[in-house]
Amino acid sequence: MEDLRNRSHADVDYRKLAAPIKSAVDKFQLVPEFLKVRGLVKQHLDSFNYFANTEIKKIVRANDKIVSSVDPNLYVRFKDVRIGNPTEALEGIVEDLSPQKCRLTDKTYAAPVLVDVEYTKGSHGGYSLLEKNDVTIARMPIMLRSCCCVLFRKDEDELARLGECPLDPGGYFVIKGTEKVILIQEQLSKNRIIIDTDKKGNINASVTSSTEATKSKTVVVMEKGKMYLQLNQFAKNIPIMIVMKAMGMESDQEVVQMIGRDPRYSALLLQSIEECASLSIFTQQQALEFLEGKLKKLPYANMSTGKEGRAMSILRDVFLANVRVIKNNFRPKCIYVAVMLRRMMEAILNKDAMDDKDYVGNKRLELSGQLISLLFEDLFKTMISEVQKQADNVLSKRSRSSQLDLSMLLVKDIITQGLERALSTGNWDVKRFRMHRKGMTQVLARLSFIGTLGHVTRISPQFEKSRKVSGPRALQPSQWGMLCPCDTPEGEACGLVKNLALMTHVTTDQEEGPLIALCYCLGVEDLELLSGEELHTPNSFLIIFNGLILGKHRRPQRFANTMRKLRRIGRIGEFVSVFVNEKQWCVYIASDGGRVCRPLVIADKGISRIKEHHMKGLLDGARTFDDFLREGLVEYLDVNEENNALIALYEQDATPETTHIEIEPFTILGVCAGLIPFPHHNQSPRNTYQCAMGKQAMGNIAYNQLLRMDTLLYLLVYPQRPLLTTRTIELTGYDKLGAGQNATVAVMSYSGYDIEDAIVMNKSSLDRGFGRCIVMKKYSAVNQKYENGTSDRILRPPRKDDRNKKGENPDWERMQILDNDGIAAPGEIIRPNDVYINKESPIITKGNPKLGGLKDSDYKPSRQTFKGAEGESCVVDRVTLSSDKNYNLSIKFMIRHTRRPEVGDKFSSRHGQKGVCGTIVQQEDFPFSERGICPDLIMNPHGFPSRMTVGKMIELLGGKAGVSCGRFHYGSAFGEPSGHADRVEAISETLVKHGFSYNGKDFLYSGITGCPLQAYIFMGPIYYQKLKHMVLDKMHARGSGPRVMLTRQPTEGRARNGGLRVGEMERDCLIAYGASMLIYERLMLSSDPFEVQVCRACGLLGYYNYKLKTGICSSCKNGDNISTMKLPYACKLLIQELQSMNIVPRLRLADS
Amino acid sequence: MEGGGGASYQRFPVVKVRETKDDYLKFELRGTDASVANALRRVMIAEVPTIAIDLVEIEVNSSVLNDEFIAHRLGLVPLTSDRAMSMRFSRDCDACDGDGQCEFCSVEFHLRAKCMTDQTLDVTSKDLISSDHTVVPVDFSDALADDSAEQKGITIVKLRRGQELRLRAIARKGIGKDHAKWSPAATVTFMYEPEIHINEDLVETLSLEEKQSWVESSPTKVFDINPNTEQVLVVDPEAYTYDEEVIKKAEAMGKPGLVEIYAKEDSFIFTVESTGAIKASQLVLNAIDVLKQKLDAVRLSEDTVEADDQFGELGAHMRGG
């Protein structure tokens, strides 16, 4: 009976699944609303805003006084700090900066850091207290679109006026004219106990402590049944019991109690206790003495650290630095150690209790704001000490006739330059934390719009990439919804470099004090009031706040629920996470920065809190995403708290236990993967490939693309919006800045030039503009000023009828495109070897300036000539004149080249299916249907079976239905149940309605014979991307050409018109084949043949005397036994180099 | 059969025009085979000459589109090319030594546009001023019913206040093989005429519902049911797309042989749509002319290579192929 009922229940479920969805509230609209509020790069902006508004104030407040050590009455105190508007002061004139202006003129987009100071002035007797407001101490590079940026909250019109693209996400900096992104850094979370195994397989518990003052790593390790402490300051492992005793826990019993009375734990601890006893250490004093003996010797032998000794201070300040010792109360630290030990022992008894380092909940993402604040803090402190030193210098030296004004010493160069250098090189050197990180910033990829977005959401790992481990590279179940499962590079960084998912948010720090107070109010029993015994009584949970043990609570679930309720009504920050860990008997509360979290819809007993009227309010604009948050309909969950939630994918799947409902399943993908239609029908690596290729696709870059001066710019002449779109495409703006074209593709074999993924293209389509692209390249010239006051000059070019003194005019033809100012004119056609700037440099640039000015003869021409592909004509698109950072005149040329696709250009669909153009065929030879449809390109069907890109087939079907019915079809990931992707059945119906076969196949005629083709051809539109790899940039051949001076062998590489090397392996093949003459010809005659005079007597090389017309041996001093032979020049070089090292190679010649 | 030497394969194709408009023509071609039909199609696409802009000299261009971009767009504007058959290719024009600037082989166009108002100005093909009133940008205004007072041409570029475009363009004669802009055909396609035989006896064994579902299985409306007699009728055999859906359906219904469909190997239904450069009917006639010339060239040039040269224009066709 029971069984039957269950079955019938299942039946009902099945029918429910098959039924069309109408009941559930469509929550999709929340996604665009979320992105409107938070933006695609909101994590960067939030982080920077937090720094600019809060963190910088904290830093300055913590170091607010500069006191002269010579005269302590002289001081400067910073009262307030803020970041001003982005401006630049040039010769006293303050000018507003805009990002576009900075990009064009190679400036840094920065704003002054203003402080209000209060300082004393005077000497001995009389001091006066003065105040100064708005003192600039530094120029802070400003993140675009952050709260300090001029673009903040600007609408489309205003942005356009500032020369900015409204779709540009911001989140990067402009440093010396280049756009720099600070990559999101992934790290293991700080101040948390992590149980892991080391290389030897020993279980250890490690804590990376990080406070404002210090950073340290504490490891407790289990070795041979005994537990030890590993700390950098100690030379050897320290038995943990000694550490406990040193901290005042002299009683072994208390330690056991603190760890818990379970006999298994005591048993595990026994050996450690015995070891401690065998070392006869029983008191705190003995323990400290023992530790003192194990300390690492400091390089400088200054051992006096006060009366308490170094061991004590290390235990207090370095050992578990995150647990503060207040008034020498070591008890919290002892409890912390006890908890560490307990967690370790749990892990020993039960392997499941081990922590996973790769678990996303154990990771923190460091964003630009945090990184900049780290740097700023260090530089600020450096500046303070510098000012102090300077003041002391002045005060001690001078007889102080004039009064020292400390506020005048607040130099701004240290901070400004430090920040600028770090951002432009990407090297983060913070000496106090021994931090030397490289490659933190990258030049923002501007190859395609999607590439830019993908670059800003990229997460770079902290591990070195060479490690051949699979753990950190594998897909983590916990990254669901937080990090994109598709978007990762191939090759060495595979799985290490990740990308954020669409709805991910990264938290910033939140004030701890009020939260701690709140916890105590909610019934947390203070740690101080608990005995060791009480710590682990059953049914009581430890409350751990940001890695700090606050105390315990007897009703953890109730406590957690209350906290969450407070969060939902907005009494505490929305990003505070509350996580009840049943296994560890702990409640973790986190408010620290760098946690990844995402919004979810709250459900009560499986019923979504969001009702129809809420969504209606949203659509009408009466509500925003923040209202949803405030009303407790939606909340942010971080990875840890997700473990306490039961999240239903769709409302109809919810059960009474469900606590949350996903907003939209496609948001688990990132920006790049969001372009793929029907990605859930593809083999997963294909999606990963497309994520990499989407970044190379040509199209539009930004609305201001033609105003920008990028070094390399690839644009499509007729970019299109994909016929088959996804919701992500609409959200990111890819439909406005597309990078591809909808091509009618026939999947068939044709001409044999389509093997290995090559595609056959229709010549008429190319004539009409398919795949046509514009390549723009920047060339720049600087009108250099020199130290002797001379400078380059730009001259009017010689014209056709001009003659110089000798009556010649050799160069006028190469300078036809120049204007009278000597600079190429925009709109002129420029050919290889044309001069684009007729510049001359002074011959003498050093020493004293020449009197009476320079004559024409004092200059040498330093014209710059254009080097492009032979036979191609480019056009000078734009010329800009600006001053560079050294106030020289800098002239930039954008040179444009329009290209139509040719054989060998690379194309790709959105499904990781790349291919080169194999051949171009006349339209009349192309197959056609009786409707007159003729494909734009033909793709070989062999591309499908092994790649299994079913999504591409559905894209074709959907595209075909789309063009016939005139509605853009959708293919969002996992979108079928929620209506964000069209179903194949529906598409087929549309096709049939418009007279096509339901399966997308057409009856085609051969264009060559006019006969029907033997098979029905799968034909329809697929969005194709043109990738930036084009043969024109790559093809290379050389007959004879330049040689390397040293070896006289041909140069290497296309850029130097180099030769193609017959390498070692090629040579081996030729040897094996016995093609001796070929080897001789390739390796010597075509490379570096050289005629040498060899002395048969001594075997050394001689020389040829042109006067006597004989060869002479320089060691035998005669020409009697000279033979002439051919040798590779490299061999002659080797012989001579060996001779210079006192090795004599002799050649023994024999008749052949 | 008749004649002296080898067997003659001479056939007498028949053309029957079904529907004709300025830019649309539908005709039947019977009594010939696929090679001839296809040759006609290919010639229409690739070898019927038209006139298109080939050289653009830009004087001022301050628009958002770059020079090549505008030149490319101008090239694709269809020009009325009734003169094309009698015009010379500029490469073998004696009058101007092939530089393509004389009246026998080229037509000059001027375009001057400047936006003086705050409203965006659309520069269209109507702004192209021709030096020859017979060669002008194709006018589509009467093709589309005159719903709006002012019919616009093909948009070339849009200008905003202060932007200007001034250029001189030379249009030349060419063929679609060289560049698609010279192709007069928007669509040229043909199909085999289907021959549909319904097995009436077998159909009668079907119920009305079955008939209905069978008729509806065809994605195009080929069959219908006479509401009175409940007989299945072939309404429009040419709507049949050789998709074999009806045959598959019949098999699925357990009635194979319900219908038999053949393609008549010797009759074709052509659909020709022109770009407007020449009338669709003229396109077909020109194509036949070109085809004939090509055949003549083949026939006459059997003996000598030099014979090629005397055909002038035609020689070029053959060299191009």
Side-chain angles (χ1 to χ4, degrees), chain A residues 18-88:
Chain A
I21 316 297
K22 54 180 192 298
S23 57
V25 180
D26 184 17
K27 296 181 291 296
F28 161 72
Q29 210 50 42
L30 277 173
V31 185
E33 206 55 40
F34 170 82
L35 293 171
K36 202 156 85 193
V37 179
R38 306 228 66 96
L40 282 168
V41 294
K42 194 62 180 179
Q43 47 282 342
H44 276 288
L45 302 179
D46 265 5
S47 153
F48 189 83
N49 289 348
Y50 178 75
F51 164 71
N53 296 328
T54 319
E55 191 93 15
I56 194 168
K57 291 202 160 66
K58 270 192 199 164
I59 292 169
V60 173
R61 205 175 302 139
N63 317 283
D64 67 340
K65 228 170 172 183
I66 312 177
V67 184
S68 156
S69 52
V70 176
D71 184 351
N73 284 320
L74 282 178
Y75 71 90
V76 181
R77 197 172 70 82
F78 300 105
K79 288 198 303 187
D80 190 22
V81 64
R82 69 198 159 271
I83 297 179
N85 289 328
T87 50
E88 187 193 35

Side-chain angles (χ1 to χ4, degrees), chain A residues 40 97 186 222 291 312 316 346 412 444 449 494 502 531 633 658 683 685 784 791 854 899 964 1059 1152:
Chain A
L40 282 168
L97 283 178
E186 177 187 318
M222 181 88 160
L291 291 181
M312 193 65 179
R316 193 185 56 214
E346 263 169 34
K412 54 181 181 180
L444 182 61
F449 174 64
C494 184
L502 205 62
S531 70
L633 307 173
T658 305
Q683 187 202 12
Q784 193 78 44
S791 70
L854 293 170
R899 300 176 183 176
S964 15
S1152 62

Side-chain angles (χ1 to χ4, degrees), chain A residues 717-718 763 767 772 774 896 898 922 924-925 928-930 932 992 996 1003 1005 1007-1010 1012 1016, chain B residues 38 41-42 46 64 66 68-69 72-73 177-180 187 189-192 219 240-245:
Chain A
V717 172
Y718 293 106
K763 180 172 167 289
D767 287 343
R772 196 168 281 239
I774 301 168
R896 151 170 45 96
T898 305
Q922 294 283 347
E924 60 267 25
D925 291 338
F928 62 96
S929 80
E930 62 207 15
V992 170
F996 288 104
F1003 181 78
Y1005 295 84
I1008 300 170
T1009 64
Y1016 294 107
Chain B
N38 195 39
R41 182 190 72 91
R42 290 168 63 92
V64 286
N66 62 46
E68 303 97 287
F69 202 146
H72 177 231
R73 290 184 72 83
K177 192 174 264 182
D178 293 332
H179 195 284
T187 304
T189 183
F190 62 77
M191 67 180 286
Y192 286 92
Y240 185 64
T241 57
Y242 295 96
D243 45 41
E244 294 183 6
E245 288 303 322

